């Protein structure tokens, strides 16, 4: 798993499979990690415990009062106690929390911040450092040469991705034909010492893609 063979011959001996491999162990470690409870969740759990205790105490007080002072029967007192306890439960808490988080998401969208999960907004109050990874969102996986070093010369290469456009310049000036001998030799060596190539899609080349001949010349 996750082993690439570029060329040659060999014999593979399978020792373990599945979760017994090194990648399987890494996957097992990743699955064993649990998300830490957010500060908002902790506050909600604490509030729920306090509310439960308060509901039980108040319900017990009203139950005793209905029996001793109001002289209600036992079943009516139980129903009265249950009604008091239910009235102390904040039924609108979930709606209020969800609405507050949704409002925060809308505010972040106005600041060009994309939130994939609503629960991610809960931890923003404790955030001090934000680490971002742009791989796969901004980059396209097209590695481009920007500079070439030949002896005492530094040649700058312009162009983006696979677009067949660009120039070779030295200190902002186009490379002259008399100065290109060493660069041409370097490009020739680079093209011959590797097997890199661009395979066009079956439906045809997409705009801006170079052929193998153009790539070698580039």
């Amino acid at each position: 798993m996750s082993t690439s063979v570029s060329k040659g011959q060999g014999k593979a001996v399978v020792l373990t499979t599945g979760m017994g491999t090194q990648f399987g162990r890494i996957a097992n470690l990743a699955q064993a990690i649990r998300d830490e409870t957010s500060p908002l969740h902790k506050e909600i759990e604490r509030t729920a415990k306090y509310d439960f205790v308060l509901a039980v105490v108040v319900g017990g007080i009203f139950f005793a009062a209905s029996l001793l002072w109001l002289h209600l029967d036992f079943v009516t007192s139980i129903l009265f106690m249950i009604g008091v306890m239910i009235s102390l439960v904040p039924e609108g808490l979930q709606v209020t929390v969800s609405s507050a988080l949704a409002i925060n998401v809308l505010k972040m969208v106005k600041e060009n911040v994309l939130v994939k999960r609503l629960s991610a907004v809960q931890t923003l109050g404790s955030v001090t450092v934000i680490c971002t990874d742009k791989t796969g969102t901004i980059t396209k996986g097209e590695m481009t040469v920007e500079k070439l070093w030949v002896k005492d010369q530094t040649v700058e290469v312009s162009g983006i991705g696979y677009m067949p456009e660009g120039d070779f310049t030295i200190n902002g000036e186009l490379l002259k034909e008399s100065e290109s001998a060493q660069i041409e030799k370097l490009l020739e060596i680079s093209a011959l010492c590797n097997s890199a190539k661009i395979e066009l899609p079956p439906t045809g080349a997409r705009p801006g893609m170079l052929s193998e001949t153009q790539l070698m010349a580039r």
Side-chain angles (χ1 to χ4, degrees), residues 89-167:
V89 176
E91 298 178 358
L93 180 61
Q94 296 180 350
V95 178
T96 303
V97 172
S98 299
S99 300
L101 294 177
I103 292 174
N104 290 331
V105 170
L106 292 177
K107 291 182 178 179
M108 295 181 66
V109 169
K110 294 180 180 179
E111 298 295 333
N112 298 324
V113 178
L114 180 62
V115 179
K116 296 177 62 176
R117 295 183 302 172
L118 190 63
S119 58
V121 187
Q122 302 175 8
T123 57
L124 288 179
S126 304
V127 170
T128 56
V129 178
I130 298 179
C131 300
T132 59
D133 181 12
K134 67 179 181 62
T135 303
T137 55
I138 299 178
T139 58
K140 297 188 296 183
E142 298 177 354
M143 300 183 66
T144 307
V145 176
E146 294 184 351
K147 290 185 179 180
L148 298 174
W149 286 272
V150 180
K151 291 187 177 181
D152 298 332
Q153 292 181 337
T154 301
V155 181
E156 298 179 355
V157 184
S158 61
I160 301 176
Y162 298 141
M163 296 293 292
E165 298 177 357
D167 297 308

Side-chain angles (χ1 to χ4, degrees), residues 161-162 195-201 206 208-212 215:
Y162 298 141
S195 57
K197 62 180 180 179
I198 298 178
E199 296 181 357
L200 301 180
R206 63 182 178 87
M209 179 170 285
L210 297 177
S211 64
E212 185 173 354
L215 179 63

